[in-house]
Amino acid sequence: MNLKKNEIYQTTVTGMTTEGSGVGRINDTVVFISNSAVDDVLKTKIIKTSKNYAVGRIEEIVTPSPDRAEPDCKYFAQCGGCTYRHISYEAELKIKHQRVEDAVKRIGGFQNLKINPVVRCESRCFYRNKAQMPFGKDNHSNTIMGFYAYHSHRIIDSDCCLLQPPIFSQISSIVREWAIKNNVSVYDEILHRGLLRHLYVRIAEVTGEIMVCLVINGKSVPNKNELTDKLKAVSGFKSLQLNVNTQKTNVILGKECIKLYGSDYITDVLCGLKFNISPLSFYQVNRTQAERLYSIAENYAQLSSDDVLLDLYCGTGTIGLSMAKKVKKLIGVEIIPQAIENAEKNAVLNGISNAEFICSDAAKAAVKLEKNGIRPDVIILDPPRKGCDKNLIETVVSMTPERVVYVSCDSATMARDISIFNELGYKPIEITPVDMFPATPHVETVVLMTKCD
Ligand code: SAH
């Protein structure tokens, strides 16, 4: 029997999707229900049907799952930022471990690979050091800013977010007030008109330095001095920048930044080293967990003083530089020029003289290094979500490192890539998941692979 839209059915949630929706079955049809928990018995209203599945909304919780907890955020039901504030942290960690295990078994084909417990984060609150808040208009044409609703570009007007440090709320209210007072237009995605697109804020947690960046569809903003003066009241305010994004795109940041006040970068401390971070450079959003992640990677790398270490997808050089003093030579590769500039300065800033950084696509640089006879002892890979190209993996293998340490923010592409490594003679030894993003479905993993003789 087909499910009917707007009808209410009862079901029990038996699993979770990788995006964190509960999964139930009604009349043999799979139904996805957001904000539900495994073992919930629910009355659900069908809001979408398609050939192979349906989407339901919770009408009534008949019997709550034992995993359930009271959400601590008033925006949770509408906001797309958090997925898991309605279940306990233990339940969330269990889901994340399962997600890694499923990927490794089903996609990677490894049935007995050791997967360690997920490294937990102390708190589900205030762990992010970066926020990107879209501007918009409500139905009465008032300027609003906040976060996107789940799977949508509808803006939930909000003045605080539990994932971010409270000081970000002070900044967003200053910027909001300035925008309203000066009648600054906000960007309309459909008409591709209006100036303010996103407020982008970063804090260096250890030094307290703050960078505020307005992403705009233009090159200048009105009354910038007023904005600067107001922001000077925020403790740690170090830099105000414009980021020019005049493209019709979902990508938040454009390529050009214009400094309005202060420094070009902020400086944080990670693994005992100082790092300069520019607006366009990648920097781990959860600093404390990043230190744990890197220490696991270092443990897996088993470096010694004669080693050459290759850090592919190095960003501002954080992983490699945190290990540079243990090796003979470090080579880092990264595609964003600003990040490489940061990486080079970061080496100098920390008195590291055995590091070389290359601005290039990782696969192309690897081919060149291989041709030039570079044979790293250990290669660290930390690709973006889409993982590595097969030809990059082949080049890495042809450099014959003893160990490959693969850091990943997407379990599915990680599982795919380690199975390619395995076919080419690099065996995965163990995996440690790290919870870098509590309350969201994302989970980071570090994998150790060694060369089979
Ligand atoms: N290892 C760093 C950064 C990891 S994020 C850290 O822990 O901070 C992934 C990085 O890969 C980003 O800095 C991104 O700019 C870079 N990147 C994306 N595609 C790339 C490619 N094709 N070649 C090289 N670097 C790439």
Side-chain angles (χ1 to χ4, degrees):
M1 194 181 81
N2 282 339
L3 301 185
K4 287 207 184 80
K5 205 171 159 184
N6 293 325
E7 287 284 305
I8 293 170
Y9 301 84
Q10 181 158 321
T11 187
T12 302
V13 176
T14 52
M16 298 301 266
T17 66
T18 51
E19 293 190 339
S21 266
V23 184
R25 264 179 189 278
I26 306 169
N27 302 337
D28 284 333
T29 301
V30 173
V31 183
F32 300 117
I33 310 159
S34 61
N35 292 353
S36 63
V38 173
D39 292 335
D40 269 347
V41 180
L42 301 169
K43 289 208 165 119
T44 178
K45 185 178 197 168
I46 301 301
I47 52 172
K48 184 181 165 188
T49 54
S50 80
K51 216 167 137 205
N52 302 318
Y53 68 93
V55 180
R57 202 171 52 206
I58 299 176
E59 274 295 300
E60 184 192 331
I61 301 174
V62 180
T63 314
S65 156
D67 293 341
R68 277 199 172 261
E70 197 52 44
D72 47 0
C73 173
K74 62 182 175 184
Y75 301 111
F76 175 66
Q78 312 117 52
C79 179
C82 290
T83 307
Y84 300 129
R85 299 204 93 87
H86 63 306
I87 56 172
S88 68
Y89 189 44
E90 296 312 316
E92 179 183 337
L93 291 176
K94 211 167 116 193
I95 292 169
K96 289 180 170 174
H97 194 272
Q98 189 68 47
R99 182 175 176 186
V100 175
E101 194 177 317
D102 286 350
V104 165
K105 283 188 174 161
R106 291 184 196 154
I107 303 169
F110 302 101
Q111 302 310 317
N112 300 309
L113 186 54
K114 183 178 174 205
I115 304 172
N116 292 317
V118 182
V119 176
R120 44 192 306 141
C121 188
E122 270 83 24
S123 170
R124 271 168 156 178
C125 294
F126 316 131
Y127 66 80
R128 284 185 64 94
N129 55 29
K130 165 175 143 178
Q132 288 166 318
M133 291 171 248
F135 290 93
K137 291 275 181 199
D138 68 8
N139 292 339
H140 307 288
S141 286
N142 297 315
T143 294
I144 57 171
M145 55 196 295
F147 301 94
Y148 290 128
Y150 182 65
H151 268 206
S152 136
H153 271 204
R154 187 166 54 81
I155 296 168
I156 310 294
D157 193 15
S158 52
D159 51 14
C160 72
C161 168
L162 283 184
L163 298 184
Q164 296 163 15
I167 201 162
F168 283 13
S169 300
Q170 190 191 347
I171 294 164
S172 69
S173 58
I174 289 172
V175 173
R176 183 195 292 249
E177 238 181 82
W178 161 84
I180 293 171
K181 192 173 156 214
N182 291 286
N183 226 349
V184 192
S185 62
V186 302
Y187 182 68
D188 182 315
E189 281 184 324
I190 296 159
L191 301 173
H192 189 45
R193 252 193 347 232
L195 191 63
L196 297 173
R197 294 177 77 129
H198 276 82
L199 167 63
Y200 167 31
V201 190
R202 263 178 162 175
I203 184 165
E205 280 166 67
V206 175
T207 59
E209 292 178 1
I210 289 175
M211 169 183 287
V212 179
C213 183
L214 292 171
V215 185
I216 57 168
N217 174 34
K219 292 237 169 190
S220 64
V221 291
N223 236 338
K224 63 175 189 198
N225 292 341
E226 181 191 321
L227 180 62
T228 311
D229 288 344
K230 289 260 158 62
L231 286 170
K232 281 182 187 162
V234 177
S235 143
F237 172 59
K238 178 97 190 289
S239 169
L240 176 61
Q241 311 229 7
L242 296 176
N243 174 268
V244 179
N245 186 353
T246 53
Q247 303 293 308
K248 200 165 195 247
T249 169
N250 276 342
V251 177
I252 295 179
L253 295 176
K255 289 199 166 89
E256 185 190 351
C257 292
I258 301 168
K259 185 175 67 178
L260 295 186
Y261 167 82
S263 171
D264 287 332
Y265 52 81
I266 51 174
T267 305
D268 204 6
V269 179
L270 186 71
C271 301
L273 302 180
K274 286 184 181 161
F275 288 99
N276 290 349
I277 312 153
S278 300
L280 296 181
S281 305
F282 178 89
Y283 187 66
Q284 298 283 354
V285 298
N286 185 334
R287 202 199 67 87
T288 313
Q289 290 299 86
E291 285 190 336
R292 293 187 175 134
L293 180 80
Y294 292 178
S295 88
I296 294 160
E298 183 174 334
N299 209 7
Y300 283 173
Q302 295 168 48
L303 299 166
S304 58
S305 54
D306 284 339
D307 283 351
V308 174
L309 171 64
L310 176 59
D311 179 10
L312 293 172
Y313 308 92
C314 70
T316 55
T318 44
I319 298 188
L321 288 172
S322 73
M323 303 175 194
K325 289 190 174 142
K326 300 226 154 110
V327 296
K328 187 171 75 189
K329 179 156 180 72
L330 162 69
I331 304 169
V333 178
E334 159 65 43
I335 205 162
I336 303 278
Q338 259 202 4
I340 284 292
E341 268 172 44
N342 285 159
E344 281 164 351
K345 288 202 180 124
N346 289 336
V348 176
L349 197 64
N350 293 290
I352 292 169
S353 53
N354 60 344
E356 175 193 339
F357 290 98
I358 302 168
C359 187
S360 162
D361 167 62
K364 287 188 186 143
V367 168
K368 269 198 195 147
L369 291 167
E370 203 270 335
K371 278 202 182 126
N372 291 343
I374 302 290
R375 295 287 174 269
D377 302 277
V378 178
I379 299 183
I380 293 180
L381 298 156
D382 185 6
R385 273 190 205 154
K386 68 174 187 215
C388 298
D389 291 339
K390 191 164 183 219
N391 59 359
L392 170 76
I393 299 178
E394 286 164 355
T395 316
V396 164
V397 167
S398 62
M399 287 195 261
T400 65
E402 284 305 314
R403 284 172 292 286
V404 175
V405 179
Y406 189 119
V407 180
S408 160
C409 53
D410 186 298
S411 307
T413 56
M414 173 273 287
R416 177 201 67 199
D417 289 351
I418 63 171
S419 93
I420 300 173
F421 269 109
N422 189 50
E423 280 164 24
L424 298 175
Y426 279 78
K427 191 173 178 283
I429 305 298
E430 69 173 68
I431 299 186
T432 304
V434 181
D435 192 17
M436 306 283 283
F437 313 102
T440 80
H442 304 292
V443 56
E444 196 91 3
T445 49
V446 198
V447 188
L448 168 63
M449 289 177 275
T450 59
K451 188 168 70 175
C452 302
D453 292 318

